[in-house]
Amino acid sequence: MPAALSVDKSLTLARQAAKKQDWITAYRNYKAVLNRFPSNKKAAKAVAELSKVAAPALLKRAKVEQDNGDWKAVNDLLRAAAFFAPGVVEIRTVLAESYIESGNPSAGLPIIDKLLAAEPNSALFHRIRGQALHELDRPDEAKKALRKALEIDPSYAKAHRAIGIVARSQGDLDEALSHFEAGLDITPNDANLYRHVVTLAPPKNDQDPHIVKLKGALAALGADNPKSIPLHLALFEALHKSGNREAAFSHLSKAKAVVSQQHPYDFQSDAVVAAFSKAQFSDAEWFQQEVKAPRLIFVTGLPRSGTTLTERILSCADDVQACGEQMIVQRAVIDLLGDVRQRKDPKLNHQDIAGLRESLLAAYAKISDGRSVQIDKMPLNFRWIGYLVAALPEARIVHLNRDPQAVAWSLYRHLFKGRGHDFMHSPEDIARFMILHRDLMAHWRKVCGARVFDLSYSELVNDQVTATKALADAVDLDWSDAWLSPEKATNHVRTSSVLQVTKPIYKNSDESWRVYESQLAPLTAALGQAGLISPEKVS
């Protein structure tokens, strides 16, 4: 870590930044002073003077980034705004929401609880609290909070949508549909609610009232308008369900094109981080002998490769807590890399790994429900496997492998929140990211050896007994017949896979892309050019 600046130097940099309206730099320097010297009068006075100017400007910029889906920028801006004006309720409200949306609900919940203590009859605060509890895998408490929001304001469409999402995550599709439809009755132009409704109640033909209304809304807004993205996606789902595949795909490709233009994928950033990580873990010296009795199991792979199904299977074992997709590892590793890359000799040391271990164990302890084993199924944790194996020798790493065309199609047809998924919007970017994944996994297998267990999705769905017994052995859990019926598991599923994993295993899902085979020719060509599929598959 670089040496801390002197107080005078920090104050000078803060004043210079404030003159340029660089509020983030001003915030960081004033905060550095007050963290070390809370009673420093110069810093405290300057912060008070800036509160009327800096806080509104930061809040305004945060709302712009919120619309753009850049939650990291939102969090940075709002933390600065809250520093300058800690008493402004709107800032704290949006900050709580941004924490929840960016995968850090444990940071958002205390903020919203304080706001509720001051204003217990706020439907808004109860709704945000419900969403935080949902993300923390506390669905029953989430429903209670959301029902309180609806009790206060029965016409609160966002609360209906939120409680519908919680009900769906628990497999109660009838309750979910009733709330989505209730929300639509209140806000009949909400495209996101249409998507939920048509997914659960598929339209029978193109004349379905929902499709007609969506087309009318799209015509009024304009097909290329960024605000049309939810409409295109809703029409894709509706027309896909009704069987009009050509029209459905046209709306999906338009949505993806608009998103890609709005949020172009920065491949270089991902490539640099991957290269840096491979350089840090260039051999097996970091990796201790594995320890039995695992406390943590990490299920990784490309998104849409079967991680949710695998978590659900593992949750059938006794004393296992399914934690869903947590941002814990990414936040901890990114923070560590930020420190390491500032050094003159940017290399990890054993103290870094010890600190990472302490940070990870503390974070997982916070979300523990007391069971002895926790599963984190964040797919993109494949990027941090070396860090995990080094810091947590008792952990088990499961990596999913699935047919590249099936994965690529599933990536393309979905839109995940957050800027970390910008690679999903074009065939070329999907292929580039899949190459990065392939190459990084080859490195982790080389240096981590048997610490990484590769699980074939195809084998998992076609030869359940053999695959699940091998999985149980790899993670040191006791196998039972329950592992063959993951649809009966009761864990809370918050991902888009919920409708699949709450049904018996479907063996032909790897072939679902074929209904769009002609439209997916560019994607197939990109995969072939990348060497991810054999040349004979590229027509």
Side-chain angles (χ1 to χ4, degrees), residues 209-232:
H210 292 325
I211 294 178
V212 173
K213 288 180 180 178
L214 285 167
K215 287 182 176 179
L218 182 61
L221 193 59
D224 295 315
N225 190 321
K227 293 181 180 179
S228 72
I229 292 168
L231 294 171
H232 283 299

PDB file of all heavy atoms in Angstrom, residues 209-232:
ATOM      1  N   PRO A 209     -53.945 -10.321 -26.328  1.00  0.00           N
ATOM      2  CA  PRO A 209     -54.021  -8.903 -25.913  1.00  0.00           C
ATOM      3  C   PRO A 209     -52.683  -8.348 -25.420  1.00  0.00           C
ATOM      4  O   PRO A 209     -52.375  -7.173 -25.667  1.00  0.00           O
ATOM      5  CB  PRO A 209     -55.064  -8.921 -24.797  1.00  0.00           C
ATOM      6  CG  PRO A 209     -55.912 -10.107 -25.094  1.00  0.00           C
ATOM      7  CD  PRO A 209     -54.997 -11.125 -25.694  1.00  0.00           C
ATOM      8  N   HIS A 210     -51.895  -9.185 -24.728  1.00  0.00           N
ATOM      9  CA  HIS A 210     -50.607  -8.704 -24.238  1.00  0.00           C
ATOM     10  C   HIS A 210     -49.679  -8.346 -25.400  1.00  0.00           C
ATOM     11  O   HIS A 210     -48.990  -7.316 -25.381  1.00  0.00           O
ATOM     12  CB  HIS A 210     -49.932  -9.766 -23.367  1.00  0.00           C
ATOM     13  CG  HIS A 210     -50.629 -10.014 -22.065  1.00  0.00           C
ATOM     14  ND1 HIS A 210     -51.259  -9.022 -21.360  1.00  0.00           N
ATOM     15  CD2 HIS A 210     -50.786 -11.156 -21.328  1.00  0.00           C
ATOM     16  CE1 HIS A 210     -51.778  -9.529 -20.243  1.00  0.00           C
ATOM     17  NE2 HIS A 210     -51.500 -10.823 -20.203  1.00  0.00           N
ATOM     18  N   ILE A 211     -49.659  -9.190 -26.419  1.00  0.00           N
ATOM     19  CA  ILE A 211     -48.805  -8.929 -27.575  1.00  0.00           C
ATOM     20  C   ILE A 211     -49.255  -7.671 -28.303  1.00  0.00           C
ATOM     21  O   ILE A 211     -48.432  -6.836 -28.712  1.00  0.00           O
ATOM     22  CB  ILE A 211     -48.796 -10.141 -28.526  1.00  0.00           C
ATOM     23  CG1 ILE A 211     -48.119 -11.334 -27.837  1.00  0.00           C
ATOM     24  CG2 ILE A 211     -48.089  -9.807 -29.835  1.00  0.00           C
ATOM     25  CD1 ILE A 211     -48.101 -12.610 -28.665  1.00  0.00           C
ATOM     26  N   VAL A 212     -50.548  -7.510 -28.470  1.00  0.00           N
ATOM     27  CA  VAL A 212     -51.090  -6.328 -29.148  1.00  0.00           C
ATOM     28  C   VAL A 212     -50.701  -5.057 -28.404  1.00  0.00           C
ATOM     29  O   VAL A 212     -50.264  -4.063 -29.012  1.00  0.00           O
ATOM     30  CB  VAL A 212     -52.623  -6.438 -29.282  1.00  0.00           C
ATOM     31  CG1 VAL A 212     -53.211  -5.139 -29.829  1.00  0.00           C
ATOM     32  CG2 VAL A 212     -53.002  -7.612 -30.188  1.00  0.00           C
ATOM     33  N   LYS A 213     -50.819  -5.083 -27.087  1.00  0.00           N
ATOM     34  CA  LYS A 213     -50.474  -3.898 -26.289  1.00  0.00           C
ATOM     35  C   LYS A 213     -48.972  -3.603 -26.353  1.00  0.00           C
ATOM     36  O   LYS A 213     -48.561  -2.444 -26.448  1.00  0.00           O
ATOM     37  CB  LYS A 213     -50.905  -4.109 -24.834  1.00  0.00           C
ATOM     38  CG  LYS A 213     -52.411  -4.057 -24.626  1.00  0.00           C
ATOM     39  CD  LYS A 213     -52.772  -4.266 -23.170  1.00  0.00           C
ATOM     40  CE  LYS A 213     -54.291  -4.218 -22.956  1.00  0.00           C
ATOM     41  NZ  LYS A 213     -54.653  -4.466 -21.542  1.00  0.00           N
ATOM     42  N   LEU A 214     -48.159  -4.646 -26.306  1.00  0.00           N
ATOM     43  CA  LEU A 214     -46.707  -4.445 -26.385  1.00  0.00           C
ATOM     44  C   LEU A 214     -46.308  -3.849 -27.725  1.00  0.00           C
ATOM     45  O   LEU A 214     -45.461  -2.949 -27.785  1.00  0.00           O
ATOM     46  CB  LEU A 214     -45.991  -5.781 -26.166  1.00  0.00           C
ATOM     47  CG  LEU A 214     -45.948  -6.298 -24.718  1.00  0.00           C
ATOM     48  CD1 LEU A 214     -45.508  -7.751 -24.692  1.00  0.00           C
ATOM     49  CD2 LEU A 214     -45.005  -5.448 -23.871  1.00  0.00           C
ATOM     50  N   LYS A 215     -46.913  -4.327 -28.796  1.00  0.00           N
ATOM     51  CA  LYS A 215     -46.598  -3.788 -30.116  1.00  0.00           C
ATOM     52  C   LYS A 215     -47.005  -2.320 -30.223  1.00  0.00           C
ATOM     53  O   LYS A 215     -46.292  -1.499 -30.806  1.00  0.00           O
ATOM     54  CB  LYS A 215     -47.299  -4.609 -31.200  1.00  0.00           C
ATOM     55  CG  LYS A 215     -46.680  -5.980 -31.428  1.00  0.00           C
ATOM     56  CD  LYS A 215     -47.404  -6.723 -32.554  1.00  0.00           C
ATOM     57  CE  LYS A 215     -46.724  -8.050 -32.857  1.00  0.00           C
ATOM     58  NZ  LYS A 215     -47.427  -8.800 -33.935  1.00  0.00           N
ATOM     59  N   GLY A 216     -48.154  -1.982 -29.637  1.00  0.00           N
ATOM     60  CA  GLY A 216     -48.603  -0.589 -29.650  1.00  0.00           C
ATOM     61  C   GLY A 216     -47.661   0.309 -28.878  1.00  0.00           C
ATOM     62  O   GLY A 216     -47.319   1.413 -29.326  1.00  0.00           O
ATOM     63  N   ALA A 217     -47.214  -0.165 -27.698  1.00  0.00           N
ATOM     64  CA  ALA A 217     -46.279   0.622 -26.882  1.00  0.00           C
ATOM     65  C   ALA A 217     -44.952   0.810 -27.606  1.00  0.00           C
ATOM     66  O   ALA A 217     -44.343   1.881 -27.564  1.00  0.00           O
ATOM     67  CB  ALA A 217     -46.062  -0.061 -25.539  1.00  0.00           C
ATOM     68  N   LEU A 218     -44.491  -0.233 -28.300  1.00  0.00           N
ATOM     69  CA  LEU A 218     -43.231  -0.158 -29.025  1.00  0.00           C
ATOM     70  C   LEU A 218     -43.335   0.819 -30.191  1.00  0.00           C
ATOM     71  O   LEU A 218     -42.414   1.611 -30.437  1.00  0.00           O
ATOM     72  CB  LEU A 218     -42.837  -1.544 -29.541  1.00  0.00           C
ATOM     73  CG  LEU A 218     -41.501  -1.640 -30.280  1.00  0.00           C
ATOM     74  CD1 LEU A 218     -40.349  -1.238 -29.365  1.00  0.00           C
ATOM     75  CD2 LEU A 218     -41.284  -3.055 -30.810  1.00  0.00           C
ATOM     76  N   ALA A 219     -44.451   0.780 -30.877  1.00  0.00           N
ATOM     77  CA  ALA A 219     -44.643   1.703 -32.001  1.00  0.00           C
ATOM     78  C   ALA A 219     -44.626   3.147 -31.526  1.00  0.00           C
ATOM     79  O   ALA A 219     -44.087   4.033 -32.190  1.00  0.00           O
ATOM     80  CB  ALA A 219     -45.954   1.384 -32.710  1.00  0.00           C
ATOM     81  N   ALA A 220     -45.199   3.402 -30.360  1.00  0.00           N
ATOM     82  CA  ALA A 220     -45.246   4.760 -29.827  1.00  0.00           C
ATOM     83  C   ALA A 220     -43.876   5.232 -29.372  1.00  0.00           C
ATOM     84  O   ALA A 220     -43.529   6.413 -29.510  1.00  0.00           O
ATOM     85  CB  ALA A 220     -46.231   4.825 -28.659  1.00  0.00           C
ATOM     86  N   LEU A 221     -43.067   4.303 -28.855  1.00  0.00           N
ATOM     87  CA  LEU A 221     -41.766   4.674 -28.300  1.00  0.00           C
ATOM     88  C   LEU A 221     -40.667   4.726 -29.360  1.00  0.00           C
ATOM     89  O   LEU A 221     -39.786   5.579 -29.318  1.00  0.00           O
ATOM     90  CB  LEU A 221     -41.386   3.673 -27.205  1.00  0.00           C
ATOM     91  CG  LEU A 221     -40.220   4.032 -26.292  1.00  0.00           C
ATOM     92  CD1 LEU A 221     -40.477   5.335 -25.548  1.00  0.00           C
ATOM     93  CD2 LEU A 221     -39.984   2.903 -25.288  1.00  0.00           C
ATOM     94  N   GLY A 222     -40.719   3.814 -30.314  1.00  0.00           N
ATOM     95  CA  GLY A 222     -39.669   3.736 -31.329  1.00  0.00           C
ATOM     96  C   GLY A 222     -38.763   2.551 -31.084  1.00  0.00           C
ATOM     97  O   GLY A 222     -38.265   2.363 -29.966  1.00  0.00           O
ATOM     98  N   ALA A 223     -38.507   1.758 -32.103  1.00  0.00           N
ATOM     99  CA  ALA A 223     -37.774   0.501 -31.941  1.00  0.00           C
ATOM    100  C   ALA A 223     -36.342   0.698 -31.485  1.00  0.00           C
ATOM    101  O   ALA A 223     -35.766  -0.164 -30.814  1.00  0.00           O
ATOM    102  CB  ALA A 223     -37.797  -0.273 -33.254  1.00  0.00           C
ATOM    103  N   ASP A 224     -35.717   1.821 -31.845  1.00  0.00           N
ATOM    104  CA  ASP A 224     -34.306   2.046 -31.514  1.00  0.00           C
ATOM    105  C   ASP A 224     -34.098   2.832 -30.224  1.00  0.00           C
ATOM    106  O   ASP A 224     -32.954   3.110 -29.845  1.00  0.00           O
ATOM    107  CB  ASP A 224     -33.616   2.788 -32.664  1.00  0.00           C
ATOM    108  CG  ASP A 224     -33.574   1.955 -33.937  1.00  0.00           C
ATOM    109  OD1 ASP A 224     -33.249   0.761 -33.829  1.00  0.00           O
ATOM    110  OD2 ASP A 224     -33.860   2.493 -35.018  1.00  0.00           O
ATOM    111  N   ASN A 225     -35.162   3.192 -29.576  1.00  0.00           N
ATOM    112  CA  ASN A 225     -35.065   3.930 -28.322  1.00  0.00           C
ATOM    113  C   ASN A 225     -34.559   3.002 -27.216  1.00  0.00           C
ATOM    114  O   ASN A 225     -35.064   1.894 -27.050  1.00  0.00           O
ATOM    115  CB  ASN A 225     -36.456   4.466 -27.949  1.00  0.00           C
ATOM    116  CG  ASN A 225     -36.419   5.447 -26.801  1.00  0.00           C
ATOM    117  OD1 ASN A 225     -35.661   5.277 -25.849  1.00  0.00           O
ATOM    118  ND2 ASN A 225     -37.244   6.470 -26.879  1.00  0.00           N
ATOM    119  N   PRO A 226     -33.522   3.403 -26.456  1.00  0.00           N
ATOM    120  CA  PRO A 226     -33.038   2.541 -25.361  1.00  0.00           C
ATOM    121  C   PRO A 226     -34.133   2.132 -24.389  1.00  0.00           C
ATOM    122  O   PRO A 226     -34.063   1.040 -23.801  1.00  0.00           O
ATOM    123  CB  PRO A 226     -31.983   3.417 -24.675  1.00  0.00           C
ATOM    124  CG  PRO A 226     -31.476   4.311 -25.757  1.00  0.00           C
ATOM    125  CD  PRO A 226     -32.688   4.611 -26.609  1.00  0.00           C
ATOM    126  N   LYS A 227     -35.153   2.976 -24.248  1.00  0.00           N
ATOM    127  CA  LYS A 227     -36.254   2.628 -23.348  1.00  0.00           C
ATOM    128  C   LYS A 227     -37.134   1.513 -23.916  1.00  0.00           C
ATOM    129  O   LYS A 227     -38.005   0.983 -23.218  1.00  0.00           O
ATOM    130  CB  LYS A 227     -37.093   3.868 -23.052  1.00  0.00           C
ATOM    131  CG  LYS A 227     -36.354   4.925 -22.251  1.00  0.00           C
ATOM    132  CD  LYS A 227     -37.243   6.122 -21.961  1.00  0.00           C
ATOM    133  CE  LYS A 227     -36.496   7.177 -21.147  1.00  0.00           C
ATOM    134  NZ  LYS A 227     -37.348   8.368 -20.869  1.00  0.00           N
ATOM    135  N   SER A 228     -36.886   1.157 -25.190  1.00  0.00           N
ATOM    136  CA  SER A 228     -37.681   0.099 -25.816  1.00  0.00           C
ATOM    137  C   SER A 228     -37.146  -1.289 -25.505  1.00  0.00           C
ATOM    138  O   SER A 228     -37.796  -2.289 -25.833  1.00  0.00           O
ATOM    139  CB  SER A 228     -37.701   0.292 -27.340  1.00  0.00           C
ATOM    140  OG  SER A 228     -36.435  -0.033 -27.904  1.00  0.00           O
ATOM    141  N   ILE A 229     -35.981  -1.380 -24.876  1.00  0.00           N
ATOM    142  CA  ILE A 229     -35.360  -2.695 -24.637  1.00  0.00           C
ATOM    143  C   ILE A 229     -36.294  -3.652 -23.897  1.00  0.00           C
ATOM    144  O   ILE A 229     -36.487  -4.797 -24.337  1.00  0.00           O
ATOM    145  CB  ILE A 229     -34.024  -2.519 -23.884  1.00  0.00           C
ATOM    146  CG1 ILE A 229     -32.999  -1.821 -24.788  1.00  0.00           C
ATOM    147  CG2 ILE A 229     -33.475  -3.867 -23.423  1.00  0.00           C
ATOM    148  CD1 ILE A 229     -31.764  -1.341 -24.065  1.00  0.00           C
ATOM    149  N   PRO A 230     -36.923  -3.251 -22.783  1.00  0.00           N
ATOM    150  CA  PRO A 230     -37.838  -4.182 -22.110  1.00  0.00           C
ATOM    151  C   PRO A 230     -39.015  -4.604 -22.999  1.00  0.00           C
ATOM    152  O   PRO A 230     -39.481  -5.738 -22.896  1.00  0.00           O
ATOM    153  CB  PRO A 230     -38.330  -3.384 -20.895  1.00  0.00           C
ATOM    154  CG  PRO A 230     -37.312  -2.329 -20.683  1.00  0.00           C
ATOM    155  CD  PRO A 230     -36.801  -1.981 -22.032  1.00  0.00           C
ATOM    156  N   LEU A 231     -39.472  -3.689 -23.875  1.00  0.00           N
ATOM    157  CA  LEU A 231     -40.572  -4.031 -24.772  1.00  0.00           C
ATOM    158  C   LEU A 231     -40.139  -5.091 -25.775  1.00  0.00           C
ATOM    159  O   LEU A 231     -40.869  -6.058 -26.039  1.00  0.00           O
ATOM    160  CB  LEU A 231     -41.063  -2.778 -25.502  1.00  0.00           C
ATOM    161  CG  LEU A 231     -41.725  -1.702 -24.641  1.00  0.00           C
ATOM    162  CD1 LEU A 231     -41.968  -0.438 -25.463  1.00  0.00           C
ATOM    163  CD2 LEU A 231     -43.045  -2.214 -24.070  1.00  0.00           C
ATOM    164  N   HIS A 232     -38.961  -4.923 -26.358  1.00  0.00           N
ATOM    165  CA  HIS A 232     -38.448  -5.925 -27.292  1.00  0.00           C
ATOM    166  C   HIS A 232     -38.303  -7.285 -26.606  1.00  0.00           C
ATOM    167  O   HIS A 232     -38.671  -8.325 -27.174  1.00  0.00           O
ATOM    168  CB  HIS A 232     -37.091  -5.489 -27.841  1.00  0.00           C
ATOM    169  CG  HIS A 232     -37.163  -4.434 -28.902  1.00  0.00           C
ATOM    170  ND1 HIS A 232     -37.817  -4.630 -30.100  1.00  0.00           N
ATOM    171  CD2 HIS A 232     -36.647  -3.182 -28.952  1.00  0.00           C
ATOM    172  CE1 HIS A 232     -37.705  -3.543 -30.843  1.00  0.00           C
ATOM    173  NE2 HIS A 232     -36.998  -2.648 -30.175  1.00  0.00           N
TER     174      HIS A 232
END
